[in-house]
């Protein structure tokens, strides 16, 4: 289990060092200052650096789809995409000014506000988490619900990530106390599969196509399915908006043109998803996105969860409160603190998108 623990420790140390170094500079971000005007490249396109919490995950599929459909270019955006498997690390990069926007889970905007940092979602991509808590096949008889997580090692993409938030909530909701489970940062894809195969984790939360790969190999099976709005409501108590495009409020205020163009891109992409089949969507994806699981399995996985994509990019009316309820159940930085949900997202740009 040592390699995985070292990974968790290293990532945590990196995030802590970055947070410490940025304490003073981020105060300006929280008050609405500190952002610079978006730069333009030689072609006159607005340069926007976007970090994604796992580009090859189906929950973030709209990003690469938008690129391959040419929608960024059509809007005059030079989209510089980068990949970071753990959303918490993408968040840190944005706060450090290394990237302009993050495609990650909406819950980070609430968590950050409780820490005095102002960020907001401008386009909602998913209306369900798209995650599944997978339990190791040899433990399926012993781990039948989150109540059986006590003493278990639970895989998450990163400490402080949305998968960690959701896992902690499920444990808390089912009667466990803080410290009765151990979160292990194992990333996604091949590293998650390896952790399950080597029995470094007993269960873990992940997305497609990793879910299908685990099932193909007979390593794990679904315990809690959050790939649909119905599944999320049953497990989390309401609609749980997840993947979104979020930026610092300072950047949004300083660069409304760039933000509007981003909204135009993603609203158009979401509408394209609604109008096309999973097979047609898959044809637009890089082949290496489904190489490990196989194209047919990738299409099947997309069929099973296509309904998680927002049809319009708007925030579900009950979504923010559900997310706040979840975080307030276990997150000490949120619990007992006042959070102004109206400042964690805006529908203004989506409503103007053509």
């Amino acid at each position: 289990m040592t390699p995985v623990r070292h990974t968790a420790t290293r990532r945590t140390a990196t995030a802590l060092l970055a947070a410490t170094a940025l304490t003073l500079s981020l105060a300006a971000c929280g008050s609405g200052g500190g952002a610079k005007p978006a730069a333009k490249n030689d072609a006159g396109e607005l340069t926007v650096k976007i970090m994604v919490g796992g580009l090859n995950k189906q929950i973030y599929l709209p990003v690469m789809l938008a690129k391959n459909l040419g929608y960024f270019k059509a809007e005059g955006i030079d989209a510089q995409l980068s990949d970071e498997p753990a959303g918490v690390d993408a968040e840190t990069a944005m706060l450090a000014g290394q990237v302009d926007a993050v495609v990650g889970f909406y819950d980070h905007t609430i968590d950050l506000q409780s820490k005095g940092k102002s960020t907001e979602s401008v386009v909602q991509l998913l209306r369900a988490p798209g995650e599944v808590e997978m339990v190791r096949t040899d433990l399926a008889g012993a781990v039948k619900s989150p109540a059986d997580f006590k003493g278990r090692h639970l895989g998450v993409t990163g400490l402080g990530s949305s998968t960690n938030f959701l896992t902690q909530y499920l444990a808390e909701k089912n009667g466990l106390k803080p410290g009765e489970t151990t979160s292990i940062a194992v990333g996604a894809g091949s590293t998650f599969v390896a952790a399950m195969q080597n029995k470094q984790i007993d269960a873990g939360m992940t997305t497609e196509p990793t879910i299908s790969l685990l099932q193909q190999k007979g390593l794990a099976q679904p315990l809690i399915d959050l790939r649909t709005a119905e599944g999320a409501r049953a497990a989390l108590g309401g609609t749980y908006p997840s993947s979104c495009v979020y930026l610092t409020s300072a950047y949004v205020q300083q660069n409304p043109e760039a933000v509007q163009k981003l909204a135009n891109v993603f609203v158009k992409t979401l509408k394209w998803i609604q109008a096309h089949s999973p097979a047609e969507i898959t044809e637009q994806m890089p082949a290496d996105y489904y190489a490990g699981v196989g194209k047919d399995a990738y299409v099947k996985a997309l069929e099973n969860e296509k309904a998680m994509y927002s049809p319009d990019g708007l925030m579900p009316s009950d979504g923010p409160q559900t997310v706040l309820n979840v975080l307030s159940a276990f997150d000490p930085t949120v619990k007992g603190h006042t959070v102004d949900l109206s400042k964690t997202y805006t529908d203004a740009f989506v409503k103007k998108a053509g």
Side-chain angles (χ1 to χ4, degrees), residues 297-320:
Y298 187 93
V299 172
K300 181 64 176 177
L302 199 50
E303 288 175 351
N304 291 337
E305 62 182 15
K306 186 186 173 187
M308 70 183 177
Y309 297 107
S310 170
D312 51 25
L314 294 169
M315 176 64 74
S317 60
D318 64 332

Side-chain angles (χ1 to χ4, degrees), residues 2-343:
T2 303
V4 180
R5 286 187 179 277
H6 282 175
T7 299
T9 303
R10 187 163 56 249
R11 284 182 175 170
T12 303
T14 300
L16 286 173
L17 286 171
T20 300
L22 290 168
T23 300
L24 294 176
S25 62
L26 288 179
C29 175
S31 62
K36 296 179 180 179
K40 291 187 177 182
N41 63 15
D42 292 340
E45 298 170 322
L46 288 169
T47 299
V48 183
K49 298 178 181 178
I50 306 171
M51 184 170 278
V52 185
L55 263 170
N56 64 350
K57 298 176 184 178
Q58 287 190 354
I59 58 172
Y60 298 134
L61 175 150
V63 182
M64 187 56 67
L65 180 59
K67 181 177 184 293
N68 289 346
L69 290 173
Y71 289 169
F72 287 114
K73 287 292 183 183
E75 281 292 331
I77 293 179
D78 174 16
Q80 298 182 2
L81 305 180
S82 55
D83 197 6
E84 174 50 64
V88 64
D89 294 331
E91 164 196 299
T92 300
M94 182 184 69
L95 294 175
Q98 296 169 357
V99 297
D100 303 310
V102 169
V103 176
F105 271 33
Y106 164 69
D107 52 22
H108 287 288
T109 68
I110 294 177
D111 181 64
L112 285 168
Q113 187 187 121
S114 68
K115 295 172 180 174
K117 299 171 179 63
S118 183
T119 61
E120 57 194 273
S121 166
V122 296
V123 184
Q124 197 60 47
L125 302 178
L126 265 63
R127 51 187 177 180
E131 307 274 359
V132 174
E133 183 70 30
M134 303 290 289
V135 63
R136 227 170 58 215
T137 302
D138 62 313
L139 294 175
V143 181
K144 298 180 179 179
S145 83
D148 301 319
F149 285 169
K150 186 175 182 178
R152 300 292 183 181
H153 293 89
L154 307 176
V156 297
T157 53
L159 303 181
S161 66
S162 297
T163 53
N164 198 16
F165 289 159
L166 290 169
T167 300
Q168 288 178 283
Y169 173 75
L170 291 172
E172 179 92 3
K173 182 184 178 184
N174 285 269
L176 299 189
K177 298 176 182 178
E180 290 189 325
T181 64
T182 302
S183 293
I184 306 293
V186 293
S190 61
T191 56
F192 191 101
V193 173
M196 194 71 79
Q197 190 165 27
N198 296 331
K199 299 186 177 182
Q200 294 168 322
I201 56 175
D202 303 312
M205 187 166 287
T206 191
T207 62
E208 291 289 8
T210 307
I211 296 164
S212 293
L213 189 57
L214 288 167
Q215 290 179 291
Q216 279 184 359
K217 293 178 175 290
L219 295 173
Q221 58 190 54
L223 179 66
I224 298 174
D225 195 333
L226 303 176
R227 285 176 290 186
T228 65
E230 293 74 21
R233 281 194 289 269
L236 306 175
T239 305
Y240 198 95
S242 54
S243 301
C244 69
V245 183
Y246 72 95
L247 313 92
T248 65
S249 295
Y251 185 94
V252 174
Q253 293 165 15
Q254 182 70 42
N255 298 284
E257 180 188 4
V259 176
Q260 186 62 61
K261 287 178 177 294
L262 283 177
N264 295 345
V265 166
F266 284 108
V267 168
K268 191 173 181 180
T269 303
L270 290 171
K271 290 180 178 178
W272 194 95
I273 290 173
Q274 297 299 315
H276 292 80
S277 69
E280 291 171 324
I281 296 169
T282 300
E283 287 299 325
Q284 298 294 328
M285 294 294 102
D288 61 337
Y289 278 27
Y290 49 77
V293 68
K295 192 172 185 178
D296 290 344
Y298 187 93
V299 172
K300 181 64 176 177
L302 199 50
E303 288 175 351
N304 291 337
E305 62 182 15
K306 186 186 173 187
M308 70 183 177
Y309 297 107
S310 170
D312 51 25
L314 294 169
M315 176 64 74
S317 60
D318 64 332
Q321 187 62 52
T322 301
V323 177
L324 178 59
N325 292 344
V326 167
L327 295 182
S328 296
F330 68 88
D331 189 340
T333 65
V334 177
K335 191 173 184 178
H337 289 72
T338 299
V339 174
D340 186 346
L341 291 173
S342 69
K343 294 181 179 178

